[in-house]
């Protein structure tokens, strides 16, 4: 069992000045990321590239005063050929995961067209899928297989959308076939945002028709955010179907978050893994 806590002591001031100062620092940090992605990332090896991404993500969390608690068997930064499967609440989830062990994310194709952020996503190796095109899943799946076989770690959010973190949506199993085809284990990851008293904090949730700007300012207005990640027991893929793997990952994450796993009428019952303390 491993338990670490990163972040700064809580800052109780929540005025306009502090919010704007955080925003300025975040914009400057984004510009630094653009410069490094353009000039440095193409020239360095895999290990150095991963470390640069990790440090950049840690800095994002520090600027936003996000205190990150990590539980479970934390992956080593040199981990290779693993598919991480996580519940999805906010765009901040990406930086939480990258602050521990940078991965290649599977993202909706629309992100590629976002100003600056989309360009950065391409530069750090994000894999894109057009969800409105049914046959694009097969193409994206092949790219994920190639990435896993090359030793990259890949992260997917199989709910297919975000939630407030108070429920778990059914996992889409299609991309989990890539783990089976490449022989890569699945590593379930449970994510949640809480107040200091342990109750759910809904401020980071990027849901419904909320714009990115609205979401960003909700986060900037928080004096402090506490984020928790639990790395759960690895799931071997041998002899299992993608639907079985989806059900197992759902149950493991639901247990860790004290939520009810989504109902799958056509699935056989699975033995739920134990929740983390």
């Amino acid at each position: 069992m491993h338990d670490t806590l990163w972040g700064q002591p809580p800052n109780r001031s929540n005025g306009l000045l502090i919010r704007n100062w955080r925003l300025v620092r975040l914009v400057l940090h984004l510009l630094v990321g653009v410069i490094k992605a353009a000039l440095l990332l193409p020239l360095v090896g895999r290990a150095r590239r991963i470390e640069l991404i990790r440090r950049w993500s840690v800095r994002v969390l520090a600027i936003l005063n996000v205190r990150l608690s990590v539980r479970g068997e934390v992956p080593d930064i040199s981990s290779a050929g693993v598919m991480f499967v996580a519940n999805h609440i906010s765009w901040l989830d990406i930086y939480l995961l990258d602050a521990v062990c940078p991965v290649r994310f599977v993202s909706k194709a629309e992100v590629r067209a976002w100003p600056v952020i989309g360009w950065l996503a391409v530069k750090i190796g994000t894999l894109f899928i057009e969800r409105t095109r049914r046959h694009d899943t097969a193409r994206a799946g092949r790219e994920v297989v190639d990435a896993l076989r090359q030793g990259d770690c890949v992260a997917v959010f199989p709910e297919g959308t975000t939630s407030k973190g108070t429920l778990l949506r059914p996992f889409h199993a299609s991309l989990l076939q890539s783990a089976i085809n490449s022989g890569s284990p699945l590593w379930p990851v449970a994510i949640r945002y809480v107040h200091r008293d342990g109750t759910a904090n809904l401020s980071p949730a990027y849901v419904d028709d909320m714009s990115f700007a609205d979401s960003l300012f909700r986060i900037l207005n928080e004096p402090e955010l506490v984020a928790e990640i639990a790395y759960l027991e690895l799931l071997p893929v041998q002899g299992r179907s993608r639907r079985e793997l989806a059900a197992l990952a759902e149950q493991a994450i639901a247990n860790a978050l004290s939520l009810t796993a989504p109902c799958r009428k056509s699935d056989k019952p699975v033995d739920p893994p134990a929740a983390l303390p």
Side-chain angles (χ1 to χ4, degrees):
M1 184 67 65
H2 189 81
D3 195 341
T4 60
L5 187 63
W6 299 331
Q8 301 297 322
N11 187 337
R12 298 188 182 279
S13 300
N14 194 28
L16 183 62
L17 181 62
I18 288 181
R19 187 193 70 183
N20 290 343
W21 174 233
R22 286 183 185 173
L23 179 59
V24 169
R25 292 170 65 201
L26 188 63
V27 170
L28 292 175
H29 186 58
L30 183 62
L31 293 177
V32 170
V34 169
I35 294 170
K36 288 185 176 181
L39 302 179
L40 192 55
L41 288 187
L43 303 178
V44 299
R46 180 177 182 271
R48 178 60 175 159
R49 177 188 180 90
I50 290 174
E51 180 58 24
L52 286 170
I53 294 172
R54 189 192 70 80
R55 289 183 180 181
W56 194 85
S57 299
V58 168
R59 185 62 180 160
V60 169
L61 300 184
I63 290 171
L64 297 175
N65 205 21
V66 178
R67 300 175 66 239
L68 175 56
S69 173
V70 185
R71 298 181 180 178
E73 292 296 327
V74 180
D76 188 86
I77 196 170
S78 62
S79 297
V82 176
M83 177 180 279
F84 293 92
V85 180
N87 62 305
H88 199 14
I89 300 171
S90 171
W91 52 270
L92 267 181
D93 301 345
I94 293 170
Y95 303 107
L96 300 182
L97 294 171
D98 271 353
V100 180
C101 178
V103 298
R104 298 181 68 179
F105 289 92
V106 178
S107 174
K108 60 183 181 181
E110 294 90 328
V111 172
R112 185 162 38 192
W114 290 3
V116 184
I117 293 176
W119 182 87
L120 269 176
V122 172
K123 289 297 182 181
I124 63 174
T126 301
L127 302 166
F128 297 99
I129 180 171
E130 294 189 33
R131 293 175 180 169
T132 57
R133 293 178 55 193
R134 185 177 183 87
H135 297 295
D136 198 51
T137 302
R139 178 204 57 79
R142 290 191 295 270
E143 289 189 0
V144 173
V145 169
D146 290 342
L148 291 168
R149 286 177 175 169
Q150 291 168 10
D152 293 333
C153 290
V154 177
V156 297
F157 299 112
E159 289 171 289
T161 186
T162 52
S163 75
K164 292 182 179 179
T166 55
L167 58 83
L168 196 65
R169 302 181 189 277
F171 283 7
H172 298 284
S174 54
L175 283 177
L176 303 191
Q177 185 65 42
S178 299
I180 296 173
N181 292 348
S182 62
S184 304
L186 289 188
W187 199 330
V189 184
I191 299 173
R192 66 181 166 192
Y193 298 88
V194 297
H195 296 288
R196 291 183 67 82
D197 63 2
T199 58
N201 187 341
L202 305 184
S203 296
Y206 186 28
V207 294
D208 302 327
D209 296 325
M210 183 183 297
S211 69
F212 178 79
D214 288 340
S215 175
L216 174 60
F217 277 98
R218 280 170 61 96
I219 290 171
L220 288 170
N221 281 326
E222 284 289 305
E224 175 195 49
L225 283 173
V226 179
E228 298 180 349
I229 296 182
Y231 287 91
L232 310 175
E233 186 176 348
L234 268 76
L235 298 175
V237 299
Q238 289 77 10
R240 286 171 170 160
S241 71
R242 64 191 187 187
R243 288 183 62 80
E244 289 174 322
L245 290 169
L248 287 166
E250 282 176 1
Q251 189 68 64
I253 292 172
N255 283 0
L257 298 175
S258 300
L259 299 176
T260 301
C263 179
R264 289 176 167 268
K265 294 181 180 179
S266 60
D267 283 346
K268 296 179 181 179
V270 294
D271 293 328
L276 286 177

